[in-house]
């Protein structure tokens, strides 16, 4: 393997940047390709069968083009639906992003935890399994919001976020004052961490980014990295990003924009 073989991050949009940020802190010289399926965005309102076919096919094309050493599906929706299909299709390590129900249950005192994701994620059997295995003695409240995904994209593109829109999007969880932990089960949502803290002040937030960064560091621990990495690449399946979004991508070390 060459020292410049990248890690490929994949999401429907900018949500995976919340995963990339932790990984870059752990591995500052890693070469990065960040792929956003902007032509397929949003994922959370799409049927399972469509995503189960689309995500492995796209990742196959991305792997052919960029020859990554590792793929990170930085998207809960794609992971909970398509992780097994992607692993079957690719001959390299694939790290998924799954709702952080286990750490939330470990930390909850009230035994009431919220799972805030996309509509597609919160209805997945994957979430039933995690709840049964790690939170059997908790009440697990599930709430899906496409609006929050849209707001996450808007914030990264430099738009002002109306706190009332955030409050409206999480209203059913805000009513449950006995919920002391909320799992941010969509990678777009940590981008709205501050706004969500204001809307759900009684619940501590947990997401999967730190665990994924540790997993990436473990899987690549014996591998070389360039001493001086070149700028990371952001690749889009749809229209090129707006200028404010390009500036934000630059802040995450993604200075080259490409189109798939
Ligand atoms: N960021 C994605 C997730 O973690 C999905 C957002 C969307 O496209 O609906 O679920």
């Amino acid at each position: 393997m060459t020292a410049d073989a990248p890690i490929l991050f994949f999401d429907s949009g900018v949500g995976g940047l919340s995963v990339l940020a932790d990984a870059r802190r752990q591995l500052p010289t890693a070469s990065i390709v960040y792929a956003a399926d902007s032509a397929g965005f949003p994922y959370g309102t799409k049927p399972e069968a469509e995503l189960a076919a689309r995500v492995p096919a796209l990742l196959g094309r991305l792997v052919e083009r960029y020859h990554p050493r590792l793929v990170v599906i930085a998207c809960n929706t794609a992971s909970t639906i398509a992780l097994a299909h992607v692993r079957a299709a690719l001959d390299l390590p694939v790290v998924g992003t799954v709702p952080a129900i286990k750490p939330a249950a470990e930390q909850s005192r009230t035994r009431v935890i919220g799972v805030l994701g996309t509509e597609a994620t919160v209805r997945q059997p994957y979430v039933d399994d995690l709840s049964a295995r790690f939170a059997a003695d908790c009440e697990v409240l599930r709430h899906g919001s496409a609006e929050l995904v849209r707001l996450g994209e808007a914030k990264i593109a430099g738009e002002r976020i109306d706190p009332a829109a955030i409050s409206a999007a999480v209203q059913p969880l805000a009513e449950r004052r006995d919920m002391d932990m909320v799992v941010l089960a969509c990678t777009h949502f940590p981008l709205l961490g501050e706004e969500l803290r204001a809307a759900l002040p009684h619940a501590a937030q947990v997401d999967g980014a730190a665990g994924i960064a540790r997993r990436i560091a473990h899987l690549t621990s014996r591998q070389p990295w360039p001493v001086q990495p070149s700028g990371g690449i952001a690749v889009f399946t749809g229209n090129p990003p707006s200028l404010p979004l390009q500036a934000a991508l630059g802040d995450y070390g993604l200075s080259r924009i490409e189109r798939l």
Side-chain angles (χ1 to χ4, degrees), residues 11-12 15 41-44 74-77 118 121 149 185-188:
D11 183 34
S12 59
F41 176 87
Y43 277 4
C75 172
N76 288 263
T77 311
T118 64
T121 294
V149 174
C186 168
T187 54
H188 280 73

Side-chain angles (χ1 to χ4, degrees), residues 33 48 70 74 79 89 103 111 160 162 191 250 258:
V33 174
E48 280 77 353
L70 175 76
S79 298
R111 313 314 285 157
R160 200 190 74 81
D162 179 1
L191 303 173
E258 296 187 1

Side-chain angles (χ1 to χ4, degrees), residues 70-100:
L70 175 76
V71 168
V72 181
I73 305 183
C75 172
N76 288 263
T77 311
S79 298
T80 54
I81 292 171
L83 186 57
H85 303 277
V86 172
R87 286 194 169 133
L90 299 182
D91 192 17
L92 77 175
V94 180
V95 177
T97 307
V98 294

Side-chain angles (χ1 to χ4, degrees), residues 24 29 35 37 55 73 75 80 83 87 104 106 113 136 157 159 228 245 256:
R24 280 187 77 222
T29 61
D37 183 12
V55 171
I73 305 183
C75 172
T80 54
L83 186 57
R87 286 194 169 133
E106 283 166 357
I113 65 179
E159 287 176 36
Q228 207 60 52
L245 179 51
R256 281 163 57 194

